[in-house]
Amino acid sequence: MSYLLAIDAGNTRTKWAVLQYASGEILQHGVLNGDDMPAAWQQCDRVAVANVAGPDRYTLLDQQLKPLGVPVRWHASTMQACGLSNGYAVPEQLGVDRWAAMIAAWQYYQRSCLVVNAGTALTVDMIEKTSPGQARFIGGIIMPGMRLMQTSIANAAANIGRALGVFQDFPLNTQDGVYSGSLYASAGAVDNLLQVLSEHCGHVVPCMLSGGDAVVLLPLLQRHVLAREYNLEENLVLQGLWYMERELP
């Protein structure tokens, strides 16, 4: 039986999963800590990597993967993959993590949808179905993620501090105000793009969320009075890498 090691090297964390190559089932997954190679990696006979963390992370991962002695593919965004076309002005400049997440979401829904990655940055990407089995990425936004918003205001304004607040509908202290503001800003961006895409498509579209802050973002989105479909998928980029790997020789 063949196994794929998929690695999502982001700006904050490096996530990994071991997938059964034939089915895409995730057998084990985790977050890479330090230089130690997880024991689960030893069973894999191929590796697929999405790295948006730069050359230093590439060098580190390359050193960690060499002892496996198996083929390693460093994926990049392309003009087309898995029935999805890439409308970015320069397709290869689209972050490969966004591309992999969109591919996985398209395979899941097979209809127009919104794809959200709530990590260091918050990305909100729009997919339009063009025909049965075919879709295109028609645009998306990039903005600071929740922690980056909180850090930036703490660095730029006096007397804010770095103490963490909690979400409140009616914040009555600075820390809760900063945290609640960053959450409202993130949810507002997702909600606005969901409305834009739904109007463009002529019907309400579903939304797939992933990333470290998706779990705190989802409850606020679900409070919306209009019926909307949200799905939370922790390993969306890793699943997208499996689809991309399966399509290539």
Side-chain angles (χ1 to χ4, degrees), residues 192-223:
N192 283 336
L193 267 291
L194 193 57
Q195 183 69 27
V196 167
L197 183 58
S198 295
E199 290 176 357
H200 175 79
C201 295
H203 58 85
V204 177
V205 301
C207 178
M208 180 73 78
L209 298 105
S210 64
D213 289 328
V215 68
V216 296
L217 187 58
L218 182 59
L220 187 56
L221 291 168
Q222 289 176 324
R223 290 171 57 181

Side-chain angles (χ1 to χ4, degrees), residues 115-128:
V115 186
V116 177
N117 193 344
T120 303
L122 176 72
T123 60
V124 187
D125 293 314
M126 294 175 281
I127 295 175
E128 178 187 23

Side-chain angles (χ1 to χ4, degrees), residues 3-9 14-21 24-26 28-32 40-41 44-51 61 65 68 71-73 75 100 235-245:
Y3 299 98
L4 171 71
L5 170 60
I7 299 177
D8 172 19
T14 297
K15 298 172 62 178
W16 61 268
V18 174
L19 301 94
Q20 190 176 95
Y21 188 72
E25 178 187 359
I26 293 179
Q28 295 187 62
H29 62 90
V31 176
L32 191 61
W41 290 17
C44 299
D45 41 37
R46 66 186 76 193
V47 183
V49 186
N51 175 34
L61 283 172
L65 293 170
L68 292 177
V72 178
R73 196 186 324 256
H75 281 272
N235 298 305
L236 196 62
V237 174
L238 300 172
Q239 291 177 344
L241 284 171
W242 176 76
Y243 283 113
M244 294 163 72
E245 191 70 19

Side-chain angles (χ1 to χ4, degrees), residues 19-101:
L19 301 94
Q20 190 176 95
Y21 188 72
S23 67
E25 178 187 359
I26 293 179
L27 304 176
Q28 295 187 62
H29 62 90
V31 176
L32 191 61
N33 294 310
D35 298 331
D36 294 335
M37 180 191 297
W41 290 17
Q42 300 287 345
Q43 65 181 310
C44 299
D45 41 37
R46 66 186 76 193
V47 183
V49 186
N51 175 34
V52 297
D56 290 342
R57 188 71 59 84
Y58 168 86
T59 300
L60 177 62
L61 283 172
D62 186 53
Q63 292 172 348
Q64 290 175 298
L65 293 170
K66 277 182 179 177
L68 292 177
V70 299
V72 178
R73 196 186 324 256
W74 300 85
H75 281 272
S77 297
T78 56
M79 292 186 65
Q80 191 279 336
C82 305
L84 181 64
S85 62
N86 185 347
Y88 224 48
V90 183
E92 60 269 21
Q93 290 183 359
L94 174 68
V96 65
D97 55 341
R98 293 170 67 188
W99 183 232

